Amino acid sequence: MSDLITFEHPLSERVRNFLRLEHLFSRFYTTRDQQSAWAHHAALGTLFEIMDCAARAELKLDILQELERQRQQISQSEREQYDATPEQEALYQATQNLQEVQQKFGQHLRENEWLMGVKQRMLVSGGTSPFDLPSYHYWLQLPHEQRLADLNCWIRSLTPTSEAISLLLRILRRNSYSLNCCAVLGNYQNAKLGNNIHMLVVDVAQSCQTLPEISANKYFTHIRFTQATQESPRGKQLEENIPFTLKMCSFDPITDKP
């Protein structure tokens, strides 16, 4: 199949949070690296979303626990599938970088009254217009290099979190097993996904113009393919056979394959 669209479905709250933050960090870095003032406006708005998304106190502990678990697994492995040494070093460095951040996630941003003022105005429709927030209008008119330096300063203490999540999700996506499947009349069911699966991934051809609705737990998985539409939140179920690839991803090496 060509022109595939990938849909990832997390099976735990931990992975769900990791994927959301990965998405937000990716959006931040993409808009930060553009030169226009409106791109930097979008980057700053995304920075505020990252703050809110990562405000949960357990996030740092979740990341550190998974980093340590991965380090232990590599130490106990027979190193048959990959060279463990670079990965161990990457896990160790990610742990060190994250532990060196002593303050609460985004605390330096919360202590910046100007930033918090902009954040509040962004919640109001049109609230950052020049006459509502002249100091922000002034910032947007600064040279690109100066705005970029500010954005880099504000994101700096959050970077270890971004790097650690990227590393863990890279491991999760690598530890995967694929099945070539067919949803008969738009429906697919599977009761043999194996143990300790933390994420499901569906690759389907863009030409199928469909969206997978995934319901899954450790006992049973149901995928229902619906019509992709921008006219309603939920399209009609397709009544045709849909070929797709189903990937099962785990933080642990998959040994119990269906």
Side-chain angles (χ1 to χ4, degrees):
M1 291 185 288
S2 60
D3 297 325
L4 295 176
I5 298 182
T6 297
F7 297 90
E8 294 182 327
H9 183 79
L11 299 180
S12 70
E13 187 64 23
R14 176 176 291 189
V15 175
R16 190 173 292 113
N17 288 329
F18 289 177
L19 288 174
R20 284 174 178 154
L21 283 167
E22 179 193 50
H23 168 75
L24 290 172
F25 276 114
S26 176
R27 191 207 300 168
F28 173 84
Y29 293 131
T30 298
T31 50
R32 178 203 62 179
D33 292 342
Q34 299 176 29
Q35 294 200 7
S36 75
W38 292 124
H40 284 181
H41 170 77
L44 189 57
T46 302
L47 182 65
F48 295 146
E49 286 190 65
I50 292 172
M51 286 176 54
D52 292 341
C53 189
R56 195 172 57 90
E58 296 83 5
L59 175 67
K60 184 176 180 179
L61 180 60
D62 285 347
I63 297 173
L64 289 172
Q65 285 178 340
E66 193 57 50
L67 288 170
E68 179 59 28
R69 213 168 63 84
Q70 291 299 321
R71 289 176 62 193
Q72 292 178 0
Q73 283 187 3
I74 292 176
S75 298
Q76 296 168 2
S77 72
E78 296 177 0
R79 305 184 183 183
E80 293 177 353
Q81 297 181 348
Y82 52 85
D83 183 3
T85 303
E87 187 119 280
Q88 281 181 320
E89 176 60 30
L91 289 165
Y92 174 79
Q93 192 61 55
T95 301
Q96 291 296 108
N97 292 343
L98 196 57
Q99 287 178 334
E100 287 176 0
V101 180
Q102 299 296 326
Q103 61 186 0
K104 184 179 177 181
F105 189 94
Q107 184 60 35
H108 67 297
L109 301 178
R110 294 182 179 87
E111 293 174 353
N112 185 317
E113 294 184 8
W114 183 82
L115 281 175
M116 291 303 94
V118 174
K119 183 176 186 292
Q120 288 301 315
R121 294 304 302 174
M122 280 190 175
L123 299 176
V124 180
S125 298
T128 59
S129 57
F131 66 86
D132 280 309
L133 207 56
S135 67
Y136 184 58
H137 174 65
Y138 174 83
W139 183 78
L140 289 175
Q141 309 311 308
L142 293 175
H144 161 259
E145 294 79 11
Q146 191 168 342
R147 297 195 311 269
L148 179 61
D150 287 338
L151 290 170
N152 286 334
C153 176
W154 296 330
I155 197 68
R156 188 170 296 123
S157 71
L158 312 184
T159 301
T161 300
S162 171
E163 292 174 345
I165 288 175
S166 294
L167 175 59
L168 290 174
L169 289 178
R170 188 161 65 246
I171 293 172
L172 176 62
R173 292 176 176 124
R174 184 191 63 209
N175 290 339
S176 66
Y177 180 76
S178 299
L179 290 175
N180 292 322
C181 306
C182 182
V184 179
L185 299 180
N187 271 293
Y188 174 82
Q189 297 179 355
N190 192 320
K192 300 178 180 179
L193 290 184
N195 297 322
N196 296 322
I197 301 301
H198 301 107
M199 183 172 70
L200 298 178
V201 180
V202 171
D203 289 333
V204 62
Q206 186 176 15
S207 59
C208 291
Q209 299 181 359
T210 186
L211 307 175
E213 290 186 352
I214 304 174
S215 301
N217 56 43
K218 62 181 179 179
Y219 302 110
F220 187 76
T221 294
H222 178 218
I223 303 177
R224 176 176 175 266
F225 286 87
T226 62
Q227 182 182 25
T229 176
Q230 286 72 54
E231 297 179 357
S232 62
R234 189 176 186 181
K236 297 180 180 179
Q237 180 173 335
L238 297 179
E239 297 183 355
E240 57 191 80
N241 295 346
I242 306 295
F244 68 99
T245 300
L246 177 64
K247 296 178 184 176
M248 291 144 283
C249 304
S250 175
F251 284 118
D252 310 311
I254 298 178
T255 55
D256 182 19
K257 297 179 181 179

